[in-house]
Amino acid sequence: MRWTVFVTLFLALICLFPETASAQSGGNTYYVNATSGNDSNTGLSESQAWKTLTKVNAIQYKPGDTLLFHRGDTWTGSVDISGTGSATARLTIGAYGSGVKPVISALKNVTFTWTQTSATIWKSDIADNVVLLNQKRAVLEKSLDRLDAPYEIYKNEQTGGGGLYIFSPSNPNSYYANSFMAGSGYAAYGSDGSYITVQDIEFVGGKYYGITMDTGGNNIIQRCVVHNPYNSGIQLVNSSNNIVKDNIVSSGNSYGIVAYVKQAGLKTSGNVFTGNTVDHFSYSGLVINGYSGEARTFGNEISNNISYNNGDGVYLHYIQDSVVSGNTLYENTSTESSGEGYGVGIQTGSTVTVEKNNMYGNRTRGIEIWGGVPTTANPGYGPSNGNKILRNYISKSGDYGILLSSDAMVKDTVIAYNAIYDNPGMGLLISNAGNTGTQILNNTFYNNPGNSLFYYQAAKPTVKNNLFANGGSATIYSDSSIGNNGFAGAPLRWDGSSIADSQVVTKNSSFKVGTSDFVNPSQGDFSLKTGSAFINSGQDVGMSTDIKGATLVGLPDIG
């Protein structure tokens, strides 16, 4: 198996498996020191360390081998690693010594000649993948007309009209101190490598990606720092059962961490992204994509990550039987590229559980689930059925807290024990009458001024034990399955007509009207104060724990 690792790839490989960094049975441990090493050494001890990436590239590694880079050192160039691990003897790439992580930099200095095309726009016929302008991230815009601020670039790759465009109030060579850094080759690329651990290395730059693993599987990338790739930070292609853990990944023009399928009919599974911090990617922070509605990826997990200042926090496409849990997803507001501004977006994804996440300040929605009818242009579309949205805190979204979208292709969704608050548009919108089978249970809606809840009558969701408070009417139709909802300063809209508080119980005797007796709503604590009329006033809907995970005793509360 051959690994082509241009500077960053090698770092990526080192980040894969932390627990297995020591030499394993039957393998050798090789050392690399950029300061005191010598390529004529054996590499088999610290005193016999190699020096260059050229030497590293010349070795065929075998299962059980360990390759360690000296902390505090920097290598520039490309790494081409041949080898793979096995189920009983992993190939490990990591760090040794003390101090900061070793650095592998896939950046190069570039010199440009510029032609001014307008007052603030300049063009070069050299279209390198520039990532840094005077040591600051270059923001890749999706069209030329969007260049309106310093550090923005646009790359036109069309024949005859190609080139690199840049915003600059004066000649860019002066304005940016003649400091242009471009990605050099693939920062990291691995093909058919399995059971490889990469850990504790800093990867910088890359013409395309920070770390790429193509095919293979059962790899681990952990405790790495990956920043300023031209496109994505860490990318897994056609690969299953990988763990991407505890990495810091930042500043690129595509995805932060992504696993996707590019081969028709191939189904991947078991990829885990956990404990990572991902920020400033133009598309989405954390992404898992299958190939189509008929070839979905399954059994994946995205848990306990932080994703912010991206186009989306988490985006799932062609996926099923997966979990998004315990993440903090906030202020994903980038409009540089095609990010849609979600905390969590699911397109053609079924039986996915989204639970215990905290998402706030995202540009459009906290959560959107979309399913589509296959078309000639998009034959891979399909339904998004049987998803669960449980125990999340969703606030300050640009418009909706939760949106169930599409043309009657989102069915049987369970939305339970969420706190949905301070969303200026709506708390929850079911935007198509054909999106049937939704269960809306024990949620707290607070200060959603557009509407707390809106759905079309034919959707006929189950609406029970929800508490609607402090503004934003709740649309409920009498032919839905309803019961034990509470109203505290949020009007009921019954069968299309607004109802005065004094008349709410006349529409359904299980409804309750009271005051919003929350412990600390400004801090997101929607626990009910002792004595609230909504305590133990719900009905049994089959839930065993509340929003905080506490076991329910007796009848549940409303909300």
Side-chain angles (χ1 to χ4, degrees), residues 394 401-402 415-423 426-429 440-448 451-454 463-474 485-490 516 518 526 559:
I394 305 168
I402 300 173
I415 302 171
Y417 276 113
N418 301 283
I420 305 167
Y421 59 102
D422 295 340
N423 299 287
M426 299 186 189
L428 169 58
L429 170 63
I440 305 167
L441 311 172
N442 289 95
N443 301 285
T444 297
F445 295 84
Y446 180 89
N447 191 35
N448 300 287
N451 285 282
S452 294
L453 168 66
F454 183 86
V463 185
K464 295 181 178 180
N465 298 350
N466 300 284
L467 181 51
F468 303 99
N470 284 52
S473 63
N485 296 291
F487 300 86
S516 54
F518 300 118
F526 293 97

mmCIF file of all heavy atoms in Angstrom, residues 394 401-402 415-423 426-429 440-448 451-454 463-474 485-490 516 518 526 559:
data_model
loop_
_atom_site.group_PDB
_atom_site.id
_atom_site.type_symbol
_atom_site.label_atom_id
_atom_site.label_comp_id
_atom_site.label_asym_id
_atom_site.label_seq_id
_atom_site.Cartn_x
_atom_site.Cartn_y
_atom_site.Cartn_z
ATOM 1 N N ILE A 394 -31.468 25.186 21.436
ATOM 2 C CA ILE A 394 -31.416 25.796 20.108
ATOM 3 C C ILE A 394 -31.866 27.251 20.240
ATOM 4 O O ILE A 394 -33.036 27.529 20.531
ATOM 5 C CB ILE A 394 -32.333 25.047 19.127
ATOM 6 C CG1 ILE A 394 -31.971 23.555 19.095
ATOM 7 C CG2 ILE A 394 -32.236 25.654 17.741
ATOM 8 C CD1 ILE A 394 -32.991 22.698 18.381
ATOM 9 N N GLY A 401 -35.694 27.937 14.606
ATOM 10 C CA GLY A 401 -34.984 27.006 15.469
ATOM 11 C C GLY A 401 -34.854 25.655 14.798
ATOM 12 O O GLY A 401 -33.759 25.113 14.656
ATOM 13 N N ILE A 402 -36.001 25.087 14.355
ATOM 14 C CA ILE A 402 -36.029 23.804 13.648
ATOM 15 C C ILE A 402 -36.924 23.947 12.432
ATOM 16 O O ILE A 402 -38.036 24.479 12.523
ATOM 17 C CB ILE A 402 -36.572 22.667 14.542
ATOM 18 C CG1 ILE A 402 -35.684 22.485 15.787
ATOM 19 C CG2 ILE A 402 -36.650 21.355 13.764
ATOM 20 C CD1 ILE A 402 -36.248 21.489 16.794
ATOM 21 N N ILE A 415 -39.489 15.030 17.853
ATOM 22 C CA ILE A 415 -38.868 16.252 18.372
ATOM 23 C C ILE A 415 -39.288 16.368 19.833
ATOM 24 O O ILE A 415 -40.442 16.687 20.139
ATOM 25 C CB ILE A 415 -39.326 17.483 17.573
ATOM 26 C CG1 ILE A 415 -38.977 17.306 16.085
ATOM 27 C CG2 ILE A 415 -38.697 18.759 18.121
ATOM 28 C CD1 ILE A 415 -39.576 18.369 15.188
ATOM 29 N N ALA A 416 -38.377 16.060 20.756
ATOM 30 C CA ALA A 416 -38.777 15.937 22.157
ATOM 31 C C ALA A 416 -37.737 16.530 23.107
ATOM 32 O O ALA A 416 -36.530 16.384 22.910
ATOM 33 C CB ALA A 416 -38.999 14.465 22.504
ATOM 34 N N TYR A 417 -38.245 17.204 24.138
ATOM 35 C CA TYR A 417 -37.436 17.735 25.238
ATOM 36 C C TYR A 417 -36.331 18.665 24.764
ATOM 37 O O TYR A 417 -35.209 18.645 25.263
ATOM 38 C CB TYR A 417 -36.865 16.590 26.085
ATOM 39 C CG TYR A 417 -37.845 16.104 27.130
ATOM 40 C CD1 TYR A 417 -38.388 14.826 27.053
ATOM 41 C CD2 TYR A 417 -38.237 16.923 28.183
ATOM 42 C CE1 TYR A 417 -39.302 14.370 27.991
ATOM 43 C CE2 TYR A 417 -39.146 16.484 29.138
ATOM 44 C CZ TYR A 417 -39.679 15.209 29.041
ATOM 45 O OH TYR A 417 -40.588 14.777 29.982
ATOM 46 N N ASN A 418 -36.635 19.502 23.792
ATOM 47 C CA ASN A 418 -35.706 20.541 23.371
ATOM 48 C C ASN A 418 -36.107 21.880 23.978
ATOM 49 O O ASN A 418 -37.292 22.141 24.213
ATOM 50 C CB ASN A 418 -35.719 20.662 21.843
ATOM 51 C CG ASN A 418 -35.331 19.377 21.154
ATOM 52 O OD1 ASN A 418 -34.165 19.024 21.090
ATOM 53 N ND2 ASN A 418 -36.338 18.655 20.641
ATOM 54 N N ALA A 419 -35.122 22.741 24.218
ATOM 55 C CA ALA A 419 -35.366 24.136 24.572
ATOM 56 C C ALA A 419 -35.101 24.964 23.322
ATOM 57 O O ALA A 419 -33.969 25.020 22.833
ATOM 58 C CB ALA A 419 -34.465 24.575 25.711
ATOM 59 N N ILE A 420 -36.168 25.590 22.806
ATOM 60 C CA ILE A 420 -36.105 26.306 21.537
ATOM 61 C C ILE A 420 -36.466 27.756 21.843
ATOM 62 O O ILE A 420 -37.621 28.073 22.121
ATOM 63 C CB ILE A 420 -37.080 25.691 20.518
ATOM 64 C CG1 ILE A 420 -36.787 24.182 20.356
ATOM 65 C CG2 ILE A 420 -36.992 26.400 19.180
ATOM 66 C CD1 ILE A 420 -37.862 23.416 19.621
ATOM 67 N N TYR A 421 -35.486 28.647 21.808
ATOM 68 C CA TYR A 421 -35.731 29.978 22.349
ATOM 69 C C TYR A 421 -34.930 31.068 21.626
ATOM 70 O O TYR A 421 -33.893 30.815 21.030
ATOM 71 C CB TYR A 421 -35.435 30.013 23.849
ATOM 72 C CG TYR A 421 -34.018 29.645 24.248
ATOM 73 C CD1 TYR A 421 -33.091 30.621 24.594
ATOM 74 C CD2 TYR A 421 -33.611 28.314 24.308
ATOM 75 C CE1 TYR A 421 -31.813 30.295 24.983
ATOM 76 C CE2 TYR A 421 -32.322 27.975 24.691
ATOM 77 C CZ TYR A 421 -31.430 28.968 25.024
ATOM 78 O OH TYR A 421 -30.143 28.630 25.408
ATOM 79 N N ASP A 422 -35.496 32.265 21.661
ATOM 80 C CA ASP A 422 -34.858 33.468 21.114
ATOM 81 C C ASP A 422 -34.519 33.341 19.636
ATOM 82 O O ASP A 422 -33.516 33.892 19.153
ATOM 83 C CB ASP A 422 -33.582 33.811 21.898
ATOM 84 C CG ASP A 422 -33.853 34.194 23.335
ATOM 85 O OD1 ASP A 422 -35.001 34.562 23.645
ATOM 86 O OD2 ASP A 422 -32.925 34.115 24.167
ATOM 87 N N ASN A 423 -35.367 32.624 18.887
ATOM 88 C CA ASN A 423 -35.216 32.545 17.436
ATOM 89 C C ASN A 423 -36.189 33.535 16.800
ATOM 90 O O ASN A 423 -37.399 33.431 17.014
ATOM 91 C CB ASN A 423 -35.512 31.124 16.967
ATOM 92 C CG ASN A 423 -34.563 30.117 17.579
ATOM 93 O OD1 ASN A 423 -33.399 30.054 17.221
ATOM 94 N ND2 ASN A 423 -35.052 29.338 18.545
ATOM 95 N N MET A 426 -39.257 31.572 13.640
ATOM 96 C CA MET A 426 -40.147 30.608 14.284
ATOM 97 C C MET A 426 -39.330 29.636 15.113
ATOM 98 O O MET A 426 -38.161 29.366 14.819
ATOM 99 C CB MET A 426 -40.945 29.816 13.243
ATOM 100 C CG MET A 426 -41.846 30.644 12.367
ATOM 101 S SD MET A 426 -42.866 29.590 11.295
ATOM 102 C CE MET A 426 -43.581 30.838 10.212
ATOM 103 N N GLY A 427 -39.977 29.094 16.123
ATOM 104 C CA GLY A 427 -39.332 28.053 16.895
ATOM 105 C C GLY A 427 -39.257 26.770 16.102
ATOM 106 O O GLY A 427 -38.177 26.174 15.947
ATOM 107 N N LEU A 428 -40.403 26.299 15.575
ATOM 108 C CA LEU A 428 -40.478 25.069 14.801
ATOM 109 C C LEU A 428 -41.443 25.268 13.642
ATOM 110 O O LEU A 428 -42.593 25.671 13.845
ATOM 111 C CB LEU A 428 -40.953 23.910 15.685
ATOM 112 C CG LEU A 428 -41.345 22.600 14.989
ATOM 113 C CD1 LEU A 428 -40.198 22.035 14.172
ATOM 114 C CD2 LEU A 428 -41.828 21.585 16.016
ATOM 115 N N LEU A 429 -40.976 24.962 12.437
ATOM 116 C CA LEU A 429 -41.797 25.072 11.233
ATOM 117 C C LEU A 429 -41.773 23.744 10.485
ATOM 118 O O LEU A 429 -40.704 23.229 10.158
ATOM 119 C CB LEU A 429 -41.278 26.185 10.326
ATOM 120 C CG LEU A 429 -41.881 26.269 8.912
ATOM 121 C CD1 LEU A 429 -43.379 26.551 8.976
ATOM 122 C CD2 LEU A 429 -41.160 27.326 8.075
ATOM 123 N N ILE A 440 -44.223 15.979 18.405
ATOM 124 C CA ILE A 440 -43.669 17.167 19.059
ATOM 125 C C ILE A 440 -44.032 17.049 20.532
ATOM 126 O O ILE A 440 -45.183 17.265 20.933
ATOM 127 C CB ILE A 440 -44.244 18.449 18.429
ATOM 128 C CG1 ILE A 440 -44.001 18.445 16.913
ATOM 129 C CG2 ILE A 440 -43.632 19.686 19.059
ATOM 130 C CD1 ILE A 440 -44.805 19.515 16.163
ATOM 131 N N LEU A 441 -43.039 16.704 21.376
ATOM 132 C CA LEU A 441 -43.323 16.274 22.737
ATOM 133 C C LEU A 441 -42.419 16.986 23.747
ATOM 134 O O LEU A 441 -41.193 17.001 23.606
ATOM 135 C CB LEU A 441 -43.090 14.765 22.873
ATOM 136 C CG LEU A 441 -43.716 13.848 21.818
ATOM 137 C CD1 LEU A 441 -43.206 12.422 21.997
ATOM 138 C CD2 LEU A 441 -45.232 13.900 21.922
ATOM 139 N N ASN A 442 -43.021 17.586 24.762
ATOM 140 C CA ASN A 442 -42.285 18.087 25.930
ATOM 141 C C ASN A 442 -41.195 19.088 25.586
ATOM 142 O O ASN A 442 -40.166 19.152 26.256
ATOM 143 C CB ASN A 442 -41.673 16.929 26.711
ATOM 144 C CG ASN A 442 -42.713 16.104 27.435
ATOM 145 O OD1 ASN A 442 -43.170 15.082 26.909
ATOM 146 N ND2 ASN A 442 -43.117 16.532 28.625
ATOM 147 N N ASN A 443 -41.405 19.887 24.556
ATOM 148 C CA ASN A 443 -40.456 20.950 24.238
ATOM 149 C C ASN A 443 -40.844 22.241 24.949
ATOM 150 O O ASN A 443 -42.015 22.481 25.242
ATOM 151 C CB ASN A 443 -40.433 21.192 22.728
ATOM 152 C CG ASN A 443 -40.039 19.955 21.959
ATOM 153 O OD1 ASN A 443 -38.873 19.580 21.923
ATOM 154 N ND2 ASN A 443 -41.023 19.298 21.345
ATOM 155 N N THR A 444 -39.870 23.083 25.216
ATOM 156 C CA THR A 444 -40.108 24.420 25.742
ATOM 157 C C THR A 444 -39.795 25.426 24.645
ATOM 158 O O THR A 444 -38.665 25.479 24.134
ATOM 159 C CB THR A 444 -39.235 24.699 26.969
ATOM 160 O OG1 THR A 444 -39.585 23.789 28.018
ATOM 161 C CG2 THR A 444 -39.424 26.127 27.454
ATOM 162 N N PHE A 445 -40.817 26.202 24.271
ATOM 163 C CA PHE A 445 -40.661 27.268 23.279
ATOM 164 C C PHE A 445 -40.723 28.598 24.021
ATOM 165 O O PHE A 445 -41.722 28.894 24.697
ATOM 166 C CB PHE A 445 -41.794 27.211 22.253
ATOM 167 C CG PHE A 445 -41.802 25.967 21.402
ATOM 168 C CD1 PHE A 445 -42.408 24.801 21.855
ATOM 169 C CD2 PHE A 445 -41.232 25.954 20.139
ATOM 170 C CE1 PHE A 445 -42.445 23.653 21.082
ATOM 171 C CE2 PHE A 445 -41.261 24.812 19.347
ATOM 172 C CZ PHE A 445 -41.858 23.663 19.815
ATOM 173 N N TYR A 446 -39.688 29.411 23.890
ATOM 174 C CA TYR A 446 -39.630 30.653 24.658
ATOM 175 C C TYR A 446 -39.117 31.779 23.762
ATOM 176 O O TYR A 446 -38.050 31.675 23.147
ATOM 177 C CB TYR A 446 -38.693 30.461 25.848
ATOM 178 C CG TYR A 446 -38.535 31.672 26.751
ATOM 179 C CD1 TYR A 446 -39.392 31.877 27.830
ATOM 180 C CD2 TYR A 446 -37.513 32.599 26.536
ATOM 181 C CE1 TYR A 446 -39.237 32.980 28.668
ATOM 182 C CE2 TYR A 446 -37.349 33.704 27.361
ATOM 183 C CZ TYR A 446 -38.218 33.883 28.425
ATOM 184 O OH TYR A 446 -38.074 34.966 29.256
ATOM 185 N N ASN A 447 -39.894 32.848 23.682
ATOM 186 C CA ASN A 447 -39.475 34.060 22.975
ATOM 187 C C ASN A 447 -39.058 33.787 21.536
ATOM 188 O O ASN A 447 -37.968 34.154 21.095
ATOM 189 C CB ASN A 447 -38.340 34.764 23.729
ATOM 190 C CG ASN A 447 -38.068 36.160 23.179
ATOM 191 O OD1 ASN A 447 -38.991 36.861 22.763
ATOM 192 N ND2 ASN A 447 -36.816 36.566 23.177
ATOM 193 N N ASN A 448 -39.957 33.163 20.788
ATOM 194 C CA ASN A 448 -39.789 32.995 19.339
ATOM 195 C C ASN A 448 -40.848 33.877 18.675
ATOM 196 O O ASN A 448 -41.971 33.424 18.417
ATOM 197 C CB ASN A 448 -39.968 31.526 18.958
ATOM 198 C CG ASN A 448 -38.961 30.630 19.646
ATOM 199 O OD1 ASN A 448 -37.788 30.618 19.309
ATOM 200 N ND2 ASN A 448 -39.415 29.875 20.650
ATOM 201 N N ASN A 451 -43.372 32.820 15.295
ATOM 202 C CA ASN A 451 -44.309 31.799 15.769
ATOM 203 C C ASN A 451 -43.518 30.831 16.634
ATOM 204 O O ASN A 451 -42.362 30.508 16.320
ATOM 205 C CB ASN A 451 -44.936 31.000 14.617
ATOM 206 C CG ASN A 451 -45.999 31.777 13.864
ATOM 207 O OD1 ASN A 451 -47.131 31.918 14.306
ATOM 208 N ND2 ASN A 451 -45.607 32.294 12.698
ATOM 209 N N SER A 452 -44.143 30.367 17.698
ATOM 210 C CA SER A 452 -43.510 29.278 18.444
ATOM 211 C C SER A 452 -43.555 27.998 17.621
ATOM 212 O O SER A 452 -42.566 27.276 17.497
ATOM 213 C CB SER A 452 -44.218 29.063 19.781
ATOM 214 O OG SER A 452 -44.048 30.170 20.631
ATOM 215 N N LEU A 453 -44.734 27.724 17.040
ATOM 216 C CA LEU A 453 -44.948 26.510 16.265
ATOM 217 C C LEU A 453 -45.880 26.819 15.110
ATOM 218 O O LEU A 453 -46.917 27.470 15.294
ATOM 219 C CB LEU A 453 -45.573 25.422 17.148
ATOM 220 C CG LEU A 453 -46.126 24.173 16.444
ATOM 221 C CD1 LEU A 453 -45.002 23.389 15.791
ATOM 222 C CD2 LEU A 453 -46.901 23.309 17.431
ATOM 223 N N PHE A 454 -45.508 26.335 13.913
ATOM 224 C CA PHE A 454 -46.413 26.454 12.778
ATOM 225 C C PHE A 454 -46.288 25.200 11.925
ATOM 226 O O PHE A 454 -45.189 24.729 11.623
ATOM 227 C CB PHE A 454 -46.087 27.674 11.905
ATOM 228 C CG PHE A 454 -47.055 27.846 10.769
ATOM 229 C CD1 PHE A 454 -48.243 28.543 10.954
ATOM 230 C CD2 PHE A 454 -46.795 27.284 9.530
ATOM 231 C CE1 PHE A 454 -49.160 28.672 9.916
ATOM 232 C CE2 PHE A 454 -47.700 27.409 8.486
ATOM 233 C CZ PHE A 454 -48.887 28.108 8.680
ATOM 234 N N VAL A 463 -48.921 16.685 19.069
ATOM 235 C CA VAL A 463 -48.439 17.861 19.802
ATOM 236 C C VAL A 463 -48.866 17.704 21.264
ATOM 237 O O VAL A 463 -50.017 17.977 21.618
ATOM 238 C CB VAL A 463 -48.994 19.165 19.198
ATOM 239 C CG1 VAL A 463 -48.378 20.377 19.890
ATOM 240 C CG2 VAL A 463 -48.729 19.232 17.693
ATOM 241 N N LYS A 464 -47.934 17.267 22.109
ATOM 242 C CA LYS A 464 -48.287 16.984 23.503
ATOM 243 C C LYS A 464 -47.186 17.459 24.454
ATOM 244 O O LYS A 464 -45.992 17.365 24.161
ATOM 245 C CB LYS A 464 -48.498 15.479 23.703
ATOM 246 C CG LYS A 464 -49.690 14.915 22.932
ATOM 247 C CD LYS A 464 -49.869 13.422 23.179
ATOM 248 C CE LYS A 464 -51.099 12.886 22.448
ATOM 249 N NZ LYS A 464 -51.293 11.431 22.672
ATOM 250 N N ASN A 465 -47.648 17.974 25.607
ATOM 251 C CA ASN A 465 -46.761 18.313 26.729
ATOM 252 C C ASN A 465 -45.779 19.431 26.425
ATOM 253 O O ASN A 465 -44.741 19.551 27.087
ATOM 254 C CB ASN A 465 -45.963 17.095 27.208
ATOM 255 C CG ASN A 465 -46.824 15.976 27.741
ATOM 256 O OD1 ASN A 465 -48.027 16.133 27.936
ATOM 257 N ND2 ASN A 465 -46.217 14.831 27.993
ATOM 258 N N ASN A 466 -46.057 20.265 25.429
ATOM 259 C CA ASN A 466 -45.157 21.369 25.099
ATOM 260 C C ASN A 466 -45.562 22.618 25.873
ATOM 261 O O ASN A 466 -46.744 22.849 26.143
ATOM 262 C CB ASN A 466 -45.205 21.666 23.602
ATOM 263 C CG ASN A 466 -44.788 20.471 22.786
ATOM 264 O OD1 ASN A 466 -43.613 20.154 22.683
ATOM 265 N ND2 ASN A 466 -45.774 19.774 22.214
ATOM 266 N N LEU A 467 -44.581 23.447 26.200
ATOM 267 C CA LEU A 467 -44.832 24.698 26.893
ATOM 268 C C LEU A 467 -44.447 25.848 25.970
ATOM 269 O O LEU A 467 -43.294 25.964 25.538
ATOM 270 C CB LEU A 467 -44.021 24.762 28.184
ATOM 271 C CG LEU A 467 -44.183 26.020 29.052
ATOM 272 C CD1 LEU A 467 -45.652 26.330 29.320
ATOM 273 C CD2 LEU A 467 -43.422 25.846 30.363
ATOM 274 N N PHE A 468 -45.431 26.697 25.660
ATOM 275 C CA PHE A 468 -45.236 27.839 24.774
ATOM 276 C C PHE A 468 -45.250 29.103 25.622
ATOM 277 O O PHE A 468 -46.249 29.404 26.289
ATOM 278 C CB PHE A 468 -46.350 27.887 23.727
ATOM 279 C CG PHE A 468 -46.457 26.629 22.908
ATOM 280 C CD1 PHE A 468 -47.405 25.654 23.211
ATOM 281 C CD2 PHE A 468 -45.608 26.406 21.839
ATOM 282 C CE1 PHE A 468 -47.508 24.497 22.461
ATOM 283 C CE2 PHE A 468 -45.701 25.244 21.078
ATOM 284 C CZ PHE A 468 -46.643 24.280 21.393
ATOM 285 N N ALA A 469 -44.134 29.854 25.612
ATOM 286 C CA ALA A 469 -43.999 30.965 26.551
ATOM 287 C C ALA A 469 -43.415 32.205 25.885
ATOM 288 O O ALA A 469 -42.636 32.126 24.937
ATOM 289 C CB ALA A 469 -43.109 30.544 27.729
ATOM 290 N N ASN A 470 -43.839 33.353 26.413
ATOM 291 C CA ASN A 470 -43.246 34.653 26.106
ATOM 292 C C ASN A 470 -43.193 34.981 24.621
ATOM 293 O O ASN A 470 -42.146 35.278 24.058
ATOM 294 C CB ASN A 470 -41.843 34.756 26.707
ATOM 295 C CG ASN A 470 -41.866 34.983 28.207
ATOM 296 O OD1 ASN A 470 -42.525 34.222 28.920
ATOM 297 N ND2 ASN A 470 -41.166 35.996 28.684
ATOM 298 N N GLY A 471 -44.349 34.973 23.981
ATOM 299 C CA GLY A 471 -44.449 35.466 22.615
ATOM 300 C C GLY A 471 -44.308 34.395 21.567
ATOM 301 O O GLY A 471 -43.675 33.366 21.778
ATOM 302 N N GLY A 472 -44.928 34.664 20.431
ATOM 303 C CA GLY A 472 -44.896 33.722 19.331
ATOM 304 C C GLY A 472 -46.027 32.726 19.434
ATOM 305 O O GLY A 472 -46.003 31.815 20.258
ATOM 306 N N SER A 473 -47.043 32.878 18.598
ATOM 307 C CA SER A 473 -48.221 32.022 18.701
ATOM 308 C C SER A 473 -47.895 30.573 18.347
ATOM 309 O O SER A 473 -46.977 30.293 17.588
ATOM 310 C CB SER A 473 -49.338 32.544 17.788
ATOM 311 O OG SER A 473 -48.919 32.501 16.433
ATOM 312 N N ALA A 474 -48.683 29.660 18.916
ATOM 313 C CA ALA A 474 -48.555 28.237 18.637
ATOM 314 C C ALA A 474 -49.751 27.800 17.806
ATOM 315 O O ALA A 474 -50.902 27.860 18.264
ATOM 316 C CB ALA A 474 -48.486 27.447 19.931
ATOM 317 N N ASN A 485 -50.788 20.604 26.513
ATOM 318 C CA ASN A 485 -49.870 21.688 26.200
ATOM 319 C C ASN A 485 -50.126 22.872 27.118
ATOM 320 O O ASN A 485 -51.243 23.091 27.584
ATOM 321 C CB ASN A 485 -50.020 22.105 24.735
ATOM 322 C CG ASN A 485 -49.638 20.987 23.782
ATOM 323 O OD1 ASN A 485 -48.463 20.628 23.684
ATOM 324 N ND2 ASN A 485 -50.629 20.419 23.092
ATOM 325 N N GLY A 486 -49.063 23.651 27.395
ATOM 326 C CA GLY A 486 -49.171 24.793 28.291
ATOM 327 C C GLY A 486 -48.894 26.096 27.578
ATOM 328 O O GLY A 486 -48.109 26.151 26.625
ATOM 329 N N PHE A 487 -49.521 27.159 28.068
ATOM 330 C CA PHE A 487 -49.397 28.477 27.446
ATOM 331 C C PHE A 487 -49.095 29.503 28.528
ATOM 332 O O PHE A 487 -49.840 29.625 29.510
ATOM 333 C CB PHE A 487 -50.678 28.835 26.691
ATOM 334 C CG PHE A 487 -51.000 27.846 25.596
ATOM 335 C CD1 PHE A 487 -51.714 26.685 25.884
ATOM 336 C CD2 PHE A 487 -50.562 28.048 24.302
ATOM 337 C CE1 PHE A 487 -51.989 25.754 24.898
ATOM 338 C CE2 PHE A 487 -50.833 27.122 23.313
ATOM 339 C CZ PHE A 487 -51.544 25.975 23.600
ATOM 340 N N ALA A 488 -47.984 30.228 28.348
ATOM 341 C CA ALA A 488 -47.562 31.226 29.330
ATOM 342 C C ALA A 488 -47.079 32.461 28.585
ATOM 343 O O ALA A 488 -45.880 32.689 28.417
ATOM 344 C CB ALA A 488 -46.467 30.662 30.223
ATOM 345 N N GLY A 489 -48.023 33.226 28.100
ATOM 346 C CA GLY A 489 -47.678 34.435 27.369
ATOM 347 C C GLY A 489 -47.389 34.212 25.906
ATOM 348 O O GLY A 489 -46.878 35.110 25.229
ATOM 349 N N ALA A 490 -47.708 33.043 25.384
ATOM 350 C CA ALA A 490 -47.617 32.760 23.961
ATOM 351 C C ALA A 490 -49.004 32.353 23.488
ATOM 352 O O ALA A 490 -49.554 31.359 23.972
ATOM 353 C CB ALA A 490 -46.610 31.644 23.695
ATOM 354 N N SER A 516 -44.742 31.991 33.076
ATOM 355 C CA SER A 516 -43.485 31.332 32.703
ATOM 356 C C SER A 516 -42.545 31.304 33.903
ATOM 357 O O SER A 516 -41.652 32.134 34.028
ATOM 358 C CB SER A 516 -42.826 32.032 31.521
ATOM 359 O OG SER A 516 -42.652 33.409 31.784
ATOM 360 N N PHE A 518 -39.799 30.011 35.046
ATOM 361 C CA PHE A 518 -38.537 29.334 34.784
ATOM 362 C C PHE A 518 -37.464 29.815 35.748
ATOM 363 O O PHE A 518 -37.485 30.960 36.209
ATOM 364 C CB PHE A 518 -38.076 29.594 33.351
ATOM 365 C CG PHE A 518 -39.049 29.123 32.308
ATOM 366 C CD1 PHE A 518 -39.636 30.023 31.422
ATOM 367 C CD2 PHE A 518 -39.390 27.785 32.208
ATOM 368 C CE1 PHE A 518 -40.527 29.595 30.464
ATOM 369 C CE2 PHE A 518 -40.288 27.341 31.252
ATOM 370 C CZ PHE A 518 -40.863 28.250 30.378
ATOM 371 N N PHE A 526 -34.431 26.406 31.744
ATOM 372 C CA PHE A 526 -35.886 26.409 31.666
ATOM 373 C C PHE A 526 -36.509 25.403 32.632
ATOM 374 O O PHE A 526 -37.628 24.937 32.428
ATOM 375 C CB PHE A 526 -36.331 26.149 30.228
ATOM 376 C CG PHE A 526 -35.950 27.274 29.303
ATOM 377 C CD1 PHE A 526 -34.790 27.206 28.536
ATOM 378 C CD2 PHE A 526 -36.718 28.430 29.237
ATOM 379 C CE1 PHE A 526 -34.424 28.247 27.706
ATOM 380 C CE2 PHE A 526 -36.350 29.485 28.419
ATOM 381 C CZ PHE A 526 -35.205 29.400 27.642
ATOM 382 N N GLY A 559 -43.533 20.833 29.136
ATOM 383 C CA GLY A 559 -42.264 21.473 28.786
ATOM 384 C C GLY A 559 -41.092 20.556 29.048
ATOM 385 O O GLY A 559 -41.204 19.397 29.419
#
